[in-house]
Amino acid sequence: MAVVNSEKQSALFTLPSLIAIVIIGYVIQCFVQYARLRLFKGPPTVGVSKSWLLKVMRSGTMHLSFTETNRKYDTNCSVSWLMHVEFGGPFARVGPQTLLVSDVDFIRKINARGSTYHRSDWYKGGRFVPNEDTLLSLTDDLEHKTLRTKMAPAFNTHTENNRVEASIDGQITVLLDLIRSKYISTPDHGTQPMDWGYLASYFGIDSICDIAFSEPLGDLQVDQDKYNFLHNMEAQLPTMSVFSCYNWMLKLLQSPIVARYCAPHPDDLSPFGHVMGFARRQAGTRYGEKAVHRNDMLNSFIEHGMTPDEAERGGLLQLVAGSDTTATALRAAVLFIASSPPTVARLRYEMAAAGIPANRDTRTIISNAKARSVPYLMATIRESLRLHPPVIGALEKMTGPSGDVLPDGRRIPPSTRIQVSIWAILRDPEVFGSDADCFRPERWLEVNAESEQRKRMDRSTDLVFSAGRFVCMGRDIALTQLLKVIAELFYRFELTVINPEKPWHSVGYGIFCQHDQWMRVTDRVVPDKKAAAG
């Protein structure tokens, strides 16, 4: 009898039996995964696999795919096979545990203080060094709030860091002098092509470094990517998109082996190592008996209790994240405005009407207050940010232990991942009109500032800088940079897109990599009113 039982047991564990068990287990797992968010529609296979999401994130056009997905599934949800009820709403399923959302009120709710939603481990992909967090990568709410409290005063440009505007003006002067000395096209010397894609990055890096450390990195001064940092970033982003899609890969990146042999270090000669070294050297001068005290962002970090390591990482975060988003916004604004002669004409007319002299030396930069007093300039920047937000990453949050229930009755289970479809939000025709895909700054001036329509437009566009407890602290600094640079460029120069059929190389992996944005620049000829009158 024992022999018979032994033979039966061994038969159960033959190779075909094991394969069958694995297949059955996989099928059950797929069914459970699918059932979890079965009431939300999405592309095929997303209920059981992340393959669609991975493909989109590596495509370089994730923002377009996300928008198309939201538009396809957010208003035409099919009948649930269990409940026989039709559901609508801007929610699309894009993974076994992931929803893509383009609902403004919902996104504001999950970002609000006191919300049970929290950051997912997607943010760990924002670590510069394994196991070392910055404000960007912290997922614990209390730790995030504590560090944010230490950093926030540095972004108050009226008290703690009142040299911000002077820092920006100084780098704009460098930018204007560079353009005038190297990129002005004339009939005698022909066209001198200017790659605004890289030049915007050089300004973004040096501007934020001056604000943060009182010392620019120096890219703009020499008109080159000194440490090959920008080129290296574009090469690395597709790979990083894979890590952010699969959480176990993110954990692998935090291993001691990776940290020791693969991760960049402030003392190495890699592109990112050079940038890290710059941030470390700057932070290192601010502590100890011979500490240097300067009126800048880093000094504010220290005065509000940041440790040397925190200050170093905080400064590095500004250098990397702050410069990139500013550069992207500047590239898009220049492209849109230069491609719209009526916009250029009205912009110049309103600036002249505001009493801004046209013929100024490059050290006389429009003030922040004056720039914000020109309604059409403000509308132009707002429209550009709306049409091309600098950050298109998922900014993934996760439901708390109790999950959530939508107004239509659908339940979002605990630990569901919520991704933001910002491109779809900012091109919603119900909010911005039937021409929501068009660049038209006038839309911001055609509605009363106190009207419900304008409030809806503002609530949507403000999400460019996130919201609630995660709102970008550098918002005012970024707007100041944008307003000043755009005002100075288009008031002083004529800018023309050299190749309208392919105005730039642009790929998006959460943030954008953009270059080959070739522009032709000539001096603007301002009519002499007295001569014209004579």
Side-chain angles (χ1 to χ4, degrees), residues 26 137 181 389 399 494 505:
Y26 176 74
S137 63
S181 66
T399 51
E494 302 285 355
H505 168 79

Side-chain angles (χ1 to χ4, degrees), residues 178-185 191-195 199 223 518-522:
L178 174 61
I179 293 174
R180 191 166 295 285
S181 66
K182 189 175 180 178
Y183 293 112
I184 295 295
S185 298
T191 296
Q192 308 296 319
M194 178 183 76
D195 187 353
L199 209 57
D223 191 21
W518 297 106
M519 308 292 297
R520 185 176 189 272
V521 187
T522 59

Side-chain angles (χ1 to χ4, degrees), residues 291-326:
V292 176
H293 298 280
R294 293 175 176 171
N295 182 19
D296 55 21
M297 189 175 285
L298 187 57
N299 191 68
S300 178
F301 289 167
I302 295 167
E303 287 186 348
H304 289 86
M306 291 182 74
T307 66
D309 287 342
E310 288 176 336
E312 177 187 329
R313 292 195 293 268
L316 181 61
L317 176 62
Q318 303 316 308
L319 193 162
V320 177
S323 67
D324 177 84
T325 50
T326 296

